[in-house]
Amino acid sequence: MGKSTTTRNSREWTQIYAIYGMDQWQTLIFLLAQAILFSVFSILYLLYFTSICIFFELILPSGAARFAAGFTGVVTVLSAVCLYFAAANFFYSAVPLQYDMANRIVSAVSDWSSVKLALDLGCCGRGILLTAVAMQLKKEGSSGRVVGLERWKQTTLSTLRTAVTEGVGEYVTCRDGDARRLPFRDNYFDVVVSGVFVHTVGVGRRSAAEAAAERMRAVGEVVRVMKPGGVGVVWDLLHVPEYVTRLKELNMEDVRVSECVTAFMVSSHIVSFRKPTQQYLLAPPEVTLDWRLC
């Protein structure tokens, strides 16, 4: 498994982008447009600084006017720099980082050769994680399959095309469904994975409490469809402590939280856990946490 992971990591980000593309490119264009706009303002500020100072002197004393003009110019320059940084981080998070994290999620499962059915919850966009699982199944010589659950039917075709491009089309199937009510029976999957998806469940609810309740329903559904002894690996933003608490309540074993990784300008962690082969009658197992700061 180490060899296959190394092979996938050896790709350049240009190759990754050529195959998987990028979702939400409108956000990247918006950030770049705003950065360019503030850059133009900064250059104009530099060229016409004296005239701007004269304008400020109409409403402020001379010394205060120059300070106000200089301060406004600095804010404009810093805004441009921050927007360029945000655009770069968004691009990195959307393509190279997701690819790298998909490898890490795959590596969190110790034995893929015995996996018959895996689920990628919320295989958004081109299915980077979905394809990573399928490629691992193929390289391990497994006869298993991976199911990608997507909310939007229109993205399924691009996901399947990517799997075919990577040579694992026969290992992949996609279907639409609701993460809060998974269309699968109990104890169905050997492995369940998810990448930056669960935090979107409940978005649009009237209150934060309602949104949190929806996310916890999704976590409960993940546990429900896992076979006893099955493994779950979830990479997500912001709400990971909630997931750990819920998993502990559900008596999951080997709950582990990775170090912090900055993605899309916020903190993220990978949570891995195992469904016990029998229900605990006493206290749940201990949780191994690694809440290091980003």
Side-chain angles (χ1 to χ4, degrees):
M1 185 170 66
K3 182 178 179 180
S4 62
T5 302
T6 302
T7 302
R8 284 177 55 81
N9 281 328
S10 65
R11 284 182 171 178
E12 297 292 336
W13 71 265
T14 50
Q15 294 176 304
I16 301 169
Y17 180 79
I19 295 172
Y20 295 98
M22 185 178 70
D23 297 312
Q24 299 179 337
W25 53 267
Q26 299 93 334
T27 302
L28 179 62
I29 291 176
F30 174 79
L31 290 171
L32 286 174
Q34 293 294 312
I36 292 171
L37 181 63
F38 274 90
S39 297
V40 172
F41 285 158
S42 300
I43 294 172
L44 292 176
Y45 233 89
L46 181 64
L47 294 176
Y48 298 100
F49 183 74
T50 301
S51 299
I52 293 171
C53 287
I54 294 173
F55 170 77
F56 274 100
E57 287 176 354
L58 297 176
I59 54 177
L60 295 171
S62 178
R66 292 188 66 83
F67 174 80
F71 178 78
T72 306
V74 170
V75 170
T76 304
V77 172
L78 289 177
S79 298
V81 172
C82 290
L83 285 165
Y84 279 120
F85 178 78
N89 182 266
F90 184 88
F91 176 81
Y92 172 71
S93 300
V95 184
L97 180 61
Q98 284 209 41
Y99 188 85
D100 179 62
M101 295 302 283
N103 289 326
R104 292 180 60 178
I105 291 170
V106 167
S107 298
V109 180
S110 59
D111 182 16
W112 283 99
S113 61
S114 61
V115 173
K116 299 302 181 184
L117 278 174
L119 172 67
D120 178 9
L121 182 65
C123 58
C124 307
R126 303 295 181 89
I128 293 178
L129 178 55
L130 181 75
T131 306
V133 171
M135 292 177 71
Q136 191 63 41
L137 289 171
K138 181 178 180 180
K139 289 173 182 177
E140 289 287 342
S142 171
S143 60
R145 297 292 182 270
V146 55
V147 179
L149 187 82
E150 177 59 84
R151 288 180 296 183
W152 315 113
K153 291 183 179 180
Q154 57 268 34
T155 61
T156 300
L157 184 58
S158 63
T159 302
L160 293 175
R161 284 175 176 170
T162 302
V164 172
T165 300
E166 293 280 37
V168 290
E170 69 274 19
Y171 288 84
V172 171
T173 183
C174 293
R175 62 177 300 175
D176 60 296
D178 189 340
R180 298 163 298 181
R181 292 177 291 275
L182 293 178
F184 308 106
R185 67 174 184 268
D186 296 355
N187 306 323
Y188 192 62
F189 293 101
D190 300 290
V191 173
V192 178
V193 298
S194 181
V196 288
F197 170 76
V198 179
H199 73 280
T200 66
V201 177
V203 170
R205 290 293 179 179
R206 294 182 179 179
S207 69
E210 290 181 345
E214 296 289 271
R215 291 192 297 271
M216 295 306 98
R217 287 180 62 185
V219 173
E221 281 292 279
V222 168
V223 171
R224 179 184 66 81
V225 300
M226 286 172 54
K227 292 179 180 178
V231 177
V233 189
V234 176
W235 171 43
D236 209 7
L237 316 175
L238 300 175
H239 305 294
V240 171
E242 298 177 5
Y243 309 158
V244 171
T245 299
R246 182 57 179 154
L247 291 169
K248 188 174 181 180
E249 292 172 350
L250 295 170
N251 292 332
M252 293 298 101
E253 294 178 337
D254 300 328
V255 180
R256 299 179 182 274
V257 182
S258 73
E259 75 281 0
C260 176
V261 176
T262 301
F264 301 102
M265 304 296 290
V266 298
S267 63
S268 72
H269 295 82
I270 293 176
V271 182
S272 61
F273 56 96
R274 183 181 301 275
K275 188 173 183 178
T277 54
Q278 60 183 1
Q279 293 298 318
Y280 285 92
L281 299 179
L282 300 176
E286 294 296 322
V287 180
T288 303
L289 304 179
D290 188 358
W291 295 114
R292 281 178 279 178
L293 298 177
C294 293

